[in-house]
Amino acid sequence: MNEFLKETDFLNFTHVTLDKFILDLSSDEIDKACELYYRVRDGFLYDPYHLDLRLPALTASVIASGKRAWCVEKSILLAALFRKVGIPSKLGYAVVTNHIGVDKLKGYLQREEIVFHGFVEAFLEGKWVKCTPAFDRRICRLTGVDPLDWDGKSDSMFQSFEKNRKFMEYIHFYGSFADVPLELMNEEMKKYYPHLFQNTYSTKEFSFRHLWSPE
């Protein structure tokens, strides 16, 4: 389990910016994990329109300092917080298709698939349990989707249907990792969204940076 408890350049959980998230936590491990899940899920407005696939931007300490985050960022922060309180954690990634409230995002990505959607696995009560801290309460309210809850005992992944509407489909799982697979993430996004790597995107509405960005 040491591999899933250690600090990394991405999961830099000893940084002071993460301390505020562990204040007044329950002493029970399951309750503690759930409290951290909700603090990360609802502590940041979900924002998939400003993506930076480079090391400095994807460190837990940098993410913790902001107000907005996308699924990969929230997952990194939550995995780091789990390790900070002694809970082994992994980072999971998948290709998904979202059918609700993503017309704007599809316009930028130029295809339906959302590549490298991030989630977290925590080792609790002798087993690995998945959780998905992506969509905060405000975003769920705006899109008419119920927030995804987690009890720390069973997997909490996006539901296929929401109020009889097709919602989220998991197309492919990359697996689980002890640390952020940065090169794989960039390579897969380049495969699915080549235009994002061929042009420059840096506006208030949408920005995208990657390993080969000039700046």
Side-chain angles (χ1 to χ4, degrees), residues 1 29-30 33 86-88 90 121-130 150 152-155:
M1 283 297 166
E29 189 174 63
I30 292 286
I87 299 173
K90 298 178 183 178
E121 293 187 39
F123 193 76
L124 298 164
E125 294 187 335
K127 65 178 182 179
W128 289 102
V129 189
K130 299 180 178 68
W150 187 51
K153 299 179 180 181
S154 55
D155 292 344

Side-chain angles (χ1 to χ4, degrees), residues 18-28 31-36 39 85:
L18 275 68
D19 291 348
K20 60 186 177 183
F21 292 92
I22 64 169
L23 296 175
D24 303 318
L25 286 176
S26 170
S27 59
D28 178 81
D31 291 341
K32 184 184 301 182
C34 292
E35 288 167 10
L36 289 172
R39 290 180 186 187
V85 298

Side-chain angles (χ1 to χ4, degrees), residues 131-149:
C131 60
T132 311
F135 296 161
D136 55 277
R137 286 189 172 277
R138 179 181 172 187
I139 286 295
C140 289
R141 215 165 35 241
L142 292 173
T143 57
V145 173
D146 289 334
L148 193 60
D149 292 328

Side-chain angles (χ1 to χ4, degrees), residues 8-25:
T8 72
D9 289 341
F10 294 97
L11 308 178
N12 58 338
F13 57 76
T14 59
H15 197 282
V16 65
T17 56
L18 275 68
D19 291 348
K20 60 186 177 183
F21 292 92
I22 64 169
L23 296 175
D24 303 318
L25 286 176

Side-chain angles (χ1 to χ4, degrees), residues 50-58 70 73 182 185 207-210 213:
H50 298 285
L51 313 179
D52 193 334
L53 310 184
R54 299 174 299 178
L55 171 59
L58 295 180
W70 55 301
E73 292 172 328
L182 190 64
M185 183 186 299
S207 63
F208 184 82
R209 292 176 175 83
H210 52 81
S213 291

